[in-house]
Amino acid sequence: MGIKSKNKLGLSPVIATVLLVAMVIVMGTIVFIWMRGSIKEVVYKFSDKNIELACADVSFDAEYTDGNLYVVNNGDVPIRDFKVQVIKGGTKTTFNLNREGISFDGITSGNGKDVDISGENVGSAEEILVIPVLQGRNDAGTLKNYVCDEKYGEKRFITSN
């Protein structure tokens, strides 16, 4: 019959436990980093309302005529800025009304402003989408701008003369 050898080498229980704990720590760190990147910083409007919810309360009108964009705030929420998407031939370009060379410091309730955007090559576009930008504070008290979702924007079709 066969002779059994007692010189078999195996993984000791201590080393196996250390490897198992190290793998769990590495996987936990990976999940933590992944989750931290997917969670947005909360910004508040009116000190207690999530700014994403304040976008639903925004009410404004936008009219484009001959290179000028006229915006009026019809609601109770102050609008800090507007993001304008220019759609031309299936491509989108964006700019903010408050940008280099142009000072747009927002509009409060019941007020309106006329902004010259002729330098942005809007005249040859098919349509523009005007999206409100609100300003709120994060948990640390720092002012932050928040661009509302496109569904809260005003779409205007450009007609050629």
Side-chain angles (χ1 to χ4, degrees), residues 7-161:
N7 294 334
K8 290 186 179 180
L9 295 176
L11 197 59
S12 84
V14 173
I15 294 175
T17 303
V18 168
L19 288 175
L20 184 62
V21 168
M23 286 190 313
V24 168
I25 290 172
V26 168
M27 289 190 319
T29 304
I30 290 171
V31 170
F32 172 76
I33 291 171
W34 174 68
M35 288 298 292
R36 188 177 64 173
S38 65
I39 296 174
K40 294 182 183 177
E41 176 184 37
V42 177
V43 178
Y44 297 98
K45 186 77 176 168
F46 306 123
S47 74
D48 63 343
K49 188 174 191 178
N50 188 323
I51 202 162
E52 291 180 46
L53 301 175
C55 286
D57 297 335
V58 172
S59 175
F60 73 97
D61 286 322
E63 294 299 327
Y64 175 78
T65 309
D66 298 327
N68 287 322
L69 182 66
Y70 183 69
V71 288
V72 178
N73 187 348
N74 299 323
D76 296 331
V77 179
I79 302 172
R80 175 71 180 113
D81 194 3
F82 288 94
K83 177 181 169 184
V84 180
Q85 283 186 356
V86 180
I87 297 113
K88 182 183 349 180
T91 61
K92 292 181 184 179
T93 56
T94 61
F95 63 91
N96 284 14
L97 292 186
N98 187 20
R99 60 196 187 284
E100 187 175 329
I102 307 270
S103 178
F104 183 86
D105 55 356
I107 51 178
T108 55
S109 180
N111 293 317
K113 285 195 180 176
D114 195 18
V115 182
D116 179 18
I117 59 171
S118 59
E120 299 297 331
N121 203 14
V122 176
S124 62
E126 299 157 6
E127 63 186 59
I128 60 172
L129 178 63
V130 183
I131 305 166
V133 177
L134 305 181
Q135 190 173 57
R137 294 191 183 273
N138 62 8
D139 288 330
T142 307
L143 288 173
K144 295 281 187 172
N145 287 345
Y146 178 80
V147 179
C148 293
D149 194 76
E150 290 183 10
K151 68 182 175 184
Y152 300 112
E154 291 274 331
K155 186 178 283 191
R156 294 293 173 251
F157 295 96
I158 309 297
T159 55
S160 300
N161 294 334

